[in-house]
Amino acid sequence: MSRIRSNLNTGSSEFRQNYAANLARIASFKERQDAARHIRPPRDIERLKKQGKMLPRERLERLLDPGTPFLELSSLAANMAYEGEAPGASCITGIGMISGREVVIHADDSSIKGGAWYPLTVKKIIRCLDIAIENRLPVVHLCDSAGGFLPLQSELFPDKQMAGRIFRNQSILSKMNVKQLSLVFGHCTAGGAYIPGLSDYAVIVRGTGAVFLAGPPLVKAATGEVVTVDELGGCDLHTQVSGTCDYPADSESHAIALGREIVAQWAHSPKWALQREAVEAPYYPADELYGIVPDDIKRSFDMREIIARLVDGSRFHEYQPAYGTTLICGYANLWGYKIGILANNGVLFNDSALKGAHFIELCNQNETPLVFLQNITGYMVGKEYEARGITKDGAKMIMAQSCSRVPKFTVMCHGSFGAGNYGMCGRAYDARFLFSWPNHQIGVMGGEQAARTLAEVKMRQLEREGKGQDAALVDSVYQETLKAYQEQLSAYYATSNLWDDGILDPVDTRNALGVAISASLNAPLEPSGYGVFRF
Amino acid sequence: MAVILTLDGETTTVEILGRKPQLRCSVEDRYYVVYETPAETDGGGWITVNGVRHRIWRIQEGERVHLKIGNRIFSVGITDPIDAARQTTRSGEIRADMPGVIVALSCEPGSNVRAGEALLTLESMKMQITLNAPRDGIVSTVHVAINQAFQKGALLVALEPEKESSPS
Amino acid sequence: MPIKRILIANRGEIACRIQRTARRLGLETIAVYHFTDRHAPHVSEADSAIELQAEIPTAAYLDIQQLLAAAHAMGADAIHPGYGFLAENAGFAAAVEAAGLRFIGPQPKVIELMGDKLRARDFAASRGIPVAPSCTQEGSMDAFIAAASTIGFPLLIKAAAGGGGKGMSIVHSADELANRAALATSEAQRYFADGRIYAERYIERPRHIEVQVLGDGTGNVVHLFERECSVQRRFQKIIEESPAPNLPRALRDEICSAAVELSSAALYRNAGTVEFILAPDGAFYFLEMNTRLQVEHPVTEFVTGMDLVEAQLRVANGEALWLTQEVIRQTGHAIECRVCAELPALDFRPATGTVRVLHVPEAPYLRFESGIREGLPITAAFDSMLAKLVCYGDDRAEAISRIKSALDATVLLGVDSNLEYLSAIFAHPAFVAGDLHTGFIVQHAASLAPLPLDAAMRASVLIAAALGNDDFRRMVDIIPEPHASIGYWRN
């Protein structure tokens, strides 16, 4: 495969301006992330220390294999919810390695309100268990949660994708022979008790760990029975009498050491043998990504420059280089894995949509995972394009993509607007993993278009009501809409609501995709249905 | 997760920082790049640490690794991470798992027993079962006599409490 | 009838050494062993083997009745006692002969004479061989102390009946004499069942020079030159060499002649060793005679080209001495060191363990004589010597250089040993200069101690050890790609 020849002028003022703007953006992202991970009321830290507990991230670092990556998911979940009361949605999820096995980690963050579950906590846990199901990854739960956050119970308890789904997913995982281990460091109360209860293996720490459907106060209220935490659901009770947990641990360190050894007993399930080549670092330095991505969402850039900084040796085999050129398609290797890339280089026309649909079929035929690099304002609109069947052609691309059997990965490199989001494997399309860059914006249309559309509607309404033209009113509608939209368009809003699996510093994209692709290979490939249609 | 080693009575941890392109470890906050050349015909090999190459012979024996590196010979203790983390005192209460009768007593109050040493033999369900000391210790009380029947959970023998070991 | 089937009443390296010559000569060997030695090479390499019963392992090899019964049961026609155990037990030699078997050693009477240090001394003195001023405890302890005081200090006190450094001590002044004498008595009692002790003038910076002799029992005796055995720890030799460095030829000949004279007078039969103390002024004194094969006999074999075990067998067969002094030549230089399971840093405390790795270099100029192999447990039941390493060179410098290289190339893991310590001795300038005396190790203790590890070397040792641990190694190797290549990374 030949190397992409970069046309980037790293000496240009545009490059330098982009670079500076993106650095500032990344600094702000890291600052938010750091706060979400580490800024806690000293009182809460003190309480954990007094209990002899480690902070959740300390547990995690000791549990994971040394010198291996941990792909944290949705580190800024809930960052724009609950007035910031649940940083990271009060839990840590991600893909890591324990005793040489890829596992999903779910760790309650007891440094925030005792690890209580908010609605978005539940959503984040369900998402990580969905990842486990889709990719057949074992799960290690680090349990330490006070249970559901009662004031918001209506948003976390009753519906299909709410708390019950956690336990449903756990059950399904076990049925699929995908193992789960719970390390019970703190309390698992009420529904939370089912996490160790539905795990195939459970370790509980003597003194601090407890599992019960109702804690002592509730028991007293319900039946009048007076009982201590340890008597009700402590380590010795569950490992000697009830059998709810399997291994007693003397300390958190002991539990972690046991946990590592338990995972080490799990048979290595064969992975789907995706073709792998020797790894070659990208020829072009990753930090140049900062100089490529424009500060303005409306400015376009050549997505080949992005590909050149993600893939092995910056080598790219471009498919149909002369046809449908606003969608770049082609093969590349990433951390040695053969992948098929679809990257937007402008609005999707009929030919680019057909090219995309065709290339997706080729990757399915070739058993090559798909990576979508989104920067899309949508499918082309207008009389000519409708006449040429843009809707029909877009539908082909969505169909081909939706029905793909190969794993899909999506990176929101810049804008993601309109139906282009669908064709390019947006959140609704079961990408195994979907990440965003901090500059990313998402919405049914761009902020300005939306504001203009609403201002237009307002104007027509005024006209209908015979109130004549009120430029100031229309302008205020425009400005307010734009402002509200901008906030909701931002990557932070998206990630807060778990519309993605987390924001990535662009230079981390290569590693994140490496871990993600490797994880995806744990699930077997389904058989294919049709051959390749040349549309 | 680090490995705890003991050399000349001093305890140190070796941590893995990375594996590719070469193994990187840290020992006492210093970083070392390591690679090993596989053993040749005579069973020895070479280890290169931060560019310094040493001839090496090595063998693991239980929780020790004996090695000759250059012309020097060492024996390094390695602590199992689970053992290192285990910290509570082990109970000295020997209780009956099921009802039965005592058929033999192998200890008396004051006996100094080693872990695994027989304390008594009981008979239950036509089987003779010998109960052993769960740890080293001194027998404080023998609660039963020969031919005495007991119920499930009965305290049979107690060892003197163990001194609290410090968590590692 | 020449000897055909030899029962070797010993174990370890010497049993293996005797088997080697016997095999070469087409003789059958019978090993004896205690249960703890059942996997030892001396058992598996013998033509046949028979177990001896005893609670205490050493007791098995000291049980005369069982040994004779074993010899009878296995149809042996001779017994080789090796060294140690019953090698210098006149009663054993007599019992062997009474049982109609050949004893590969001296006549019981000679063993008895030389076994009693006091009689041996008197015997030597009566033949004009110099002995150090001394006195023996014959009556009360008080009388002994009074007599000993007149010899002058420092004094050496030792058991009248024993050897091997047991019960030996140096007394520097009259004040300590009574205490040391009492201690020596109790040790002598414990080790030799004979509490009598003996005092002699202690010579400062003495050298230990001994002479290998060979006699046929009729007064025909030749010597096979001297050995220098001055490097000792706890009164036990750890390095021996031949010829002795810096020993004037005339003096050497004088000492060798004295050894021949003594052995001849005793009508000595067998290979034997006459030991002398050599004072810095060139005066030498008879110390004792060992009526058996010596641990360090290979150095003599290297420089004379003779097989001393074969020589023992020939004289035991009644053959008259077949060579004259004139034809025996001392060529080149040989050095031996004793590899012991011990901790030099902890005052040579014996060590135990299991031999896990044993790798020994091979060369025509090198002999590694051992009774160990990989997998063999080393217990405290027997002597701590594991093996002898012997090297030959055209001259002393070459022999030293070869033995040091051989030591450095020797790998013995699983049981602590003095390998490194021996290597340090061979690197020591005083040893290289041949500036030897029996206090060598005490004098140079500081410069022989291993250098402390610097941080980088310590880290290398720890990392190498960690990589030798299966769990750590697994933790390194188990990480698949691309995770291993990505390494530590957090997003």
Side-chain angles (χ1 to χ4, degrees):
Chain A
M1 271 187 292
S2 57
R3 179 174 298 143
I4 293 173
R5 283 193 203 290
S6 175
N7 294 318
L8 193 63
N9 179 0
T10 54
S12 70
S13 63
E14 190 190 358
F15 179 89
R16 284 205 306 275
Q17 280 166 17
N18 287 344
Y19 200 101
N22 278 310
L23 270 194
R25 207 188 299 275
I26 295 304
S28 155
F29 162 59
K30 300 266 178 183
E31 201 178 306
R32 285 174 187 241
Q33 203 177 36
D34 193 59
R37 283 172 175 167
H38 303 296
I39 308 291
R40 297 286 182 275
R43 199 168 44 91
D44 288 334
I45 306 276
E46 277 306 301
R47 180 176 47 81
L48 289 180
K49 277 206 185 124
K50 218 177 285 168
Q51 292 177 313
K53 285 180 173 177
M54 289 185 233
L55 290 170
R57 281 173 199 278
E58 292 176 309
R59 291 170 183 156
L60 191 60
E61 290 300 331
R62 296 181 65 168
L63 181 63
L64 296 171
D65 286 334
T68 61
F70 177 66
L71 172 59
E72 185 171 344
L73 302 172
S74 300
S75 58
L76 288 177
N79 80 94
M80 291 176 77
Y82 321 123
E83 284 151 358
E85 275 185 10
S90 305
C91 68
I92 304 161
T93 62
I95 314 285
M97 188 146 279
I98 299 174
S99 302
R101 279 99 176 146
E102 291 167 292
V103 296
V104 165
I105 301 280
H106 149 227
D108 295 322
D109 190 342
S110 52
S111 65
I112 309 157
K113 293 194 188 301
W117 290 353
Y118 283 72
L120 285 169
T121 314
V122 170
K123 190 172 184 183
K124 187 170 167 180
I125 296 172
I126 293 169
R127 171 60 189 155
C128 86
L129 294 176
D130 281 341
I131 287 172
I133 290 172
E134 287 167 13
N135 300 286
R136 287 189 181 250
L137 292 175
V139 184
V140 178
H141 303 272
L142 282 63
C143 309
D144 192 356
S145 164
F149 182 65
L150 294 179
L152 295 176
Q153 66 86 21
S154 69
E155 293 170 48
L156 65 85
F157 174 66
D159 206 354
K160 175 169 174 173
Q161 292 292 338
M162 293 185 184
R165 192 78 180 177
I166 295 174
F167 316 120
R168 177 265 181 195
N169 277 359
Q170 282 195 275
S171 308
I172 297 299
L173 274 169
S174 192
K175 177 184 166 184
M176 294 167 68
N177 281 340
V178 178
K179 286 117 184 153
Q180 291 176 79
L181 161 68
S182 278
L183 303 176
V184 180
F185 292 112
H187 289 193
C188 297
T189 315
Y194 289 114
I195 288 197
L198 288 164
S199 290
D200 309 304
Y201 299 81
V203 178
I204 181 167
V205 178
R206 186 174 288 115
T208 45
V211 178
F212 29 53
L213 290 184
L218 198 59
V219 168
K220 192 174 177 209
T223 67
E225 189 181 17
V226 176
V227 65
T228 66
V229 165
D230 252 3
E231 289 165 348
L232 188 60
C235 169
D236 289 332
L237 176 95
H238 283 312
T239 57
Q240 292 174 14
V241 182
S242 80
T244 305
C245 296
D246 310 304
Y247 304 84
D250 296 337
S251 63
E252 296 209 353
S253 310
H254 189 197
I256 288 167
L258 280 169
R260 288 182 51 79
E261 196 166 283
I262 291 165
V263 174
Q265 309 312 309
W266 294 351
H268 280 279
S269 302
K271 288 173 77 162
W272 165 37
L274 175 61
Q275 184 183 329
R276 259 197 104 223
E277 309 288 339
V279 178
E280 191 184 352
Y283 178 76
Y284 299 103
D287 75 297
E288 290 176 1
L289 291 167
Y290 298 146
I292 300 165
V293 179
D295 195 23
D296 182 349
I297 195 74
K298 288 187 300 189
R299 297 262 321 177
S300 66
F301 57 94
D302 187 354
M303 199 60 109
R304 284 183 196 82
E305 299 290 354
I306 303 290
I307 296 169
R309 283 152 188 90
L310 289 181
V311 302
D312 288 7
S314 305
R315 295 178 195 281
F316 187 56
H317 171 89
E318 191 164 343
Y319 171 74
Q320 290 189 342
Y323 181 77
T325 53
T326 57
L327 183 68
I328 302 166
C329 295
Y331 295 109
N333 293 337
L334 191 138
W335 282 112
Y337 292 122
K338 163 95 34 219
I339 55 169
I341 295 176
L342 288 90
N344 301 117
N345 232 22
V347 70
L348 287 162
F349 294 99
N350 299 70
D351 54 357
S352 17
L354 292 178
K355 173 182 173 181
H358 195 162
F359 185 66
I360 290 166
E361 290 183 309
L362 293 177
C363 287
N364 275 278
Q365 181 194 50
N366 202 44
E367 304 193 342
T368 303
L370 289 162
V371 173
F372 295 87
L373 302 177
Q374 283 206 21
N375 178 24
I376 183 64
T377 51
Y379 290 92
M380 191 63 199
V381 296
K383 184 163 177 279
E384 181 194 341
Y385 303 100
E386 294 292 357
R388 283 164 61 178
I390 187 75
T391 303
K392 194 171 73 168
D393 291 341
K396 290 189 185 86
M397 186 172 167
I398 292 171
M399 179 71 79
Q401 186 270 104
S402 296
C403 298
S404 275
R405 64 194 184 108
V406 294
K408 298 174 288 187
F409 306 89
T410 304
V411 182
M412 300 295 192
C413 298
H414 209 45
S416 177
F417 298 109
N421 169 281
Y422 307 155
M424 291 294 290
C425 195
R427 188 59 156 175
Y429 295 85
D430 292 334
R432 298 287 182 92
F433 294 88
L434 187 152
F435 301 109
S436 309
W437 288 358
N439 51 292
H440 163 61
Q441 291 190 11
I442 186 167
V444 72
M445 59 183 80
E448 287 173 22
Q449 295 95 307
R452 216 173 294 132
T453 308
L454 286 182
E456 199 83 6
V457 170
K458 189 75 192 171
M459 218 150 52
R460 264 183 262 131
Q461 183 201 347
L462 290 174
E463 275 169 19
R464 266 200 314 278
E465 292 168 5
K467 289 185 181 161
Q469 293 197 351
D470 185 341
L473 182 63
V474 171
D475 189 57
S476 80
V477 167
Y478 177 83
Q479 291 301 339
E480 273 168 36
T481 311
L482 187 62
K483 188 164 171 283
Y485 233 79
Q486 292 296 10
E487 189 183 285
Q488 292 192 359
L489 286 175
S490 81
Y492 292 107
Y493 189 81
T495 206
S496 179
N497 287 300
L498 284 124
W499 296 345
D500 61 17
D501 293 313
I503 296 180
L504 288 179
D505 179 342
V507 301
D508 282 334
T509 309
R510 178 175 159 83
N511 283 350
L513 285 176
V515 174
I517 294 168
S518 172
S520 75
L521 303 180
N522 286 286
L525 203 57
E526 284 168 24
S528 60
Y530 280 95
V532 176
F533 295 98
R534 188 177 279 283
F535 299 111
Chain B
M1 196 101 249
V3 168
I4 302 160
L5 301 105
T6 311
L7 172 60
D8 298 334
E10 277 179 54
T11 294
T12 317
T13 59
V14 175
E15 288 178 69
I16 300 168
L17 302 176
R19 292 170 180 77
K20 293 289 168 77
Q22 279 159 12
L23 179 65
R24 275 162 292 132
C25 295
S26 77
V27 182
E28 281 154 356
D29 295 331
R30 287 165 117 159
Y31 303 135
Y32 299 91
V33 177
V34 184
Y35 71 88
E36 291 194 300
T37 314
E40 356 81 74
T41 49
D42 63 5
W46 282 272
I47 186 169
T48 305
V49 181
N50 281 0
V52 183
R53 196 167 105 127
H54 307 277
R55 187 81 165 84
I56 182 174
W57 293 75
R58 181 169 58 196
I59 189 131
Q60 178 177 17
E61 183 181 31
E63 278 160 11
R64 301 199 77 74
V65 170
H66 308 289
L67 69 161
K68 175 164 186 168
I69 175 163
N71 290 337
R72 299 193 65 174
I73 300 160
F74 303 92
S75 183
V76 179
I78 298 188
T79 312
D80 179 82
I82 292 182
D83 289 344
R86 189 172 285 149
Q87 57 175 244
T88 50
T89 57
R90 284 156 299 171
S91 162
E93 290 190 351
I94 291 88
R95 288 180 180 276
D97 282 343
M98 53 180 126
V101 177
I102 301 292
V103 295
L105 275 174
S106 327
C107 64
E108 53 184 35
S111 297
N112 212 325
V113 293
R114 315 258 325 166
E117 207 172 300
L119 298 177
L120 56 83
T121 303
L122 56 87
E123 190 171 311
S124 180
M125 295 297 290
K126 294 175 279 184
M127 287 227 302
Q128 291 203 346
I129 299 159
T130 299
L131 297 187
N132 300 324
R135 56 166 167 84
D136 295 355
I138 295 167
V139 175
S140 60
T141 331
V142 177
H143 294 271
V144 285
I146 297 219
N147 293 329
Q148 186 180 331
F150 51 83
Q151 288 306 309
K152 177 185 170 180
L155 181 58
L156 306 176
V157 175
L159 302 182
E160 285 182 5
E162 197 175 34
K163 274 192 222 134
E164 188 95 24
S165 62
S166 56
S168 34
Chain C
M1 272 271 285
I3 295 165
K4 287 212 169 60
R5 283 169 73 82
I6 308 168
L7 180 133
I8 300 165
N10 214 304
R11 61 181 298 283
E13 69 90 13
I14 194 62
C16 296
R17 162 72 190 91
I18 295 160
Q19 285 169 14
R20 249 191 324 275
T21 290
R23 237 187 332 266
R24 183 170 61 75
L25 299 176
L27 308 178
E28 277 183 59
T29 58
I30 301 153
V32 293
Y33 64 98
H34 179 264
F35 183 75
T36 56
D37 271 340
R38 65 195 180 281
H39 299 305
H42 89 266
V43 179
S44 51
E45 288 169 19
D47 293 315
S48 51
I50 182 163
E51 185 182 339
L52 306 177
Q53 307 296 326
E55 272 297 309
I56 302 163
T58 46
Y61 298 95
L62 291 167
D63 189 326
I64 295 175
Q65 289 319 310
Q66 281 199 68
L67 284 164
L68 292 175
H72 180 71
M74 306 298 287
D77 51 24
I79 292 185
H80 195 307
Y83 56 69
F85 293 121
L86 295 168
E88 291 173 284
N89 184 313
F92 178 57
V96 170
E97 290 185 354
L101 302 168
R102 218 74 64 80
F103 181 71
I104 303 170
Q107 312 87 315
K109 259 173 37 195
V110 180
I111 299 176
E112 206 175 335
L113 168 66
M114 294 304 174
D116 185 329
K117 301 302 161 209
L118 309 180
R119 278 183 60 204
R121 235 179 83 92
D122 293 344
F123 182 77
S126 71
R127 298 285 153 168
I129 294 163
V131 296
S134 68
C135 72
T136 309
Q137 182 193 1
E138 267 146 8
S140 74
M141 184 59 97
D142 290 346
F144 172 76
I145 287 171
S149 304
T150 63
I151 296 171
F153 293 95
L155 273 178
L156 185 68
I157 304 187
K158 52 185 179 178
K166 300 280 195 299
M168 230 190 258
S169 82
I170 299 165
V171 184
H172 291 278
S173 68
D175 318 345
E176 2 173 60
L177 181 57
N179 266 342
R180 291 300 182 89
L183 236 129
T185 302
S186 73
E187 264 196 60
Q189 188 66 48
R190 203 161 64 244
Y191 284 107
F192 309 109
D194 179 351
R196 286 179 311 145
I197 55 170
Y198 151 95
E200 69 181 18
R201 179 65 172 280
Y202 178 70
I203 291 145
E204 298 278 7
R205 291 178 69 90
R207 289 169 69 177
H208 178 112
I209 303 287
E210 61 185 31
V211 180
Q212 178 70 53
V213 296
L214 180 66
D216 63 9
T218 65
N220 289 332
V221 171
V222 290
H223 72 79
L224 286 83
F225 299 96
E226 84 287 9
R227 291 186 290 254
E228 161 96 51
C229 311
S230 298
V231 180
Q232 304 182 353
R233 53 113 181 82
R234 297 177 148 193
F235 297 111
Q236 288 176 321
K237 304 161 189 170
I238 51 172
I239 292 173
E240 303 97 344
E241 58 185 303
S242 182
N246 306 331
L247 182 64
R249 176 162 287 240
L251 180 54
R252 196 267 312 266
D253 290 344
E254 206 182 325
I255 295 172
C256 289
S257 302
V260 170
E261 165 63 25
L262 177 83
S263 319
S264 179
L267 297 179
Y268 189 78
R269 182 191 76 202
N270 191 28
T273 298
V274 186
E275 299 187 335
F276 295 95
I277 287 293
L278 175 63
D281 61 5
F284 65 91
Y285 306 103
F286 169 74
L287 192 59
E288 63 180 35
M289 180 169 190
N290 294 327
T291 56
R292 50 160 162 98
L293 195 63
Q294 204 84 336
V295 174
E296 56 273 25
H297 74 273
V299 294
T300 299
E301 294 186 324
F302 257 134
V303 294
T304 61
M306 281 187 60
D307 181 333
L308 283 171
V309 174
E310 184 184 358
Q312 282 188 298
L313 288 165
R314 287 175 73 172
V315 293
N317 271 331
E319 203 175 319
L321 209 54
W322 55 93
L323 31 67
T324 58
Q325 192 64 57
E326 292 70 42
V327 304
I328 301 168
R329 291 268 177 278
Q330 189 184 37
T331 315
H333 199 102
I335 300 186
E336 173 187 281
C337 60
R338 302 189 188 186
V339 180
C340 300
E342 64 185 20
L343 297 151
L346 296 178
D347 200 20
F348 304 97
R349 197 173 74 193
T352 58
T354 297
V355 179
R356 294 295 176 189
V357 175
L358 179 63
H359 175 80
V360 182
E362 285 177 27
Y365 54 77
L366 180 153
R367 277 169 69 173
F368 183 84
E369 312 226 319
S370 84
I372 59 170
R373 55 167 180 73
E374 288 180 3
L376 194 75
I378 304 301
T379 66
F382 301 107
D383 187 83
S384 65
M385 193 179 88
L386 299 172
K388 312 181 300 206
L389 181 64
V390 199
C391 277
Y392 176 81
D394 286 342
D395 55 23
R396 186 165 188 266
E398 188 178 52
I400 293 175
S401 143
R402 282 173 167 178
I403 200 167
K404 179 164 187 328
S405 304
L407 274 175
D408 291 344
T410 299
V411 185
L412 169 61
L413 299 180
V415 54
D416 291 311
S417 78
N418 60 347
L419 276 173
E420 285 173 84
Y421 188 81
L422 291 169
S423 179
I425 295 176
F426 290 123
H428 199 278
F431 184 86
V432 173
D435 185 7
L436 307 179
H437 62 96
T438 57
F440 181 91
I441 277 174
V442 173
Q443 183 193 350
H444 299 296
S447 48
L448 288 171
L451 292 173
L453 291 175
D454 62 27
M457 190 60 202
R458 189 178 158 80
S460 300
V461 171
L462 290 166
I463 291 167
L467 284 168
N469 175 264
D470 288 342
D471 290 338
F472 187 87
R473 165 71 66 178
R474 203 170 298 124
M475 198 148 53
V476 172
D477 291 342
I478 201 174
I479 304 305
E481 290 295 350
H483 298 75
S485 286
I486 294 174
Y488 180 90
W489 168 79
R490 298 292 182 264
N491 59 309

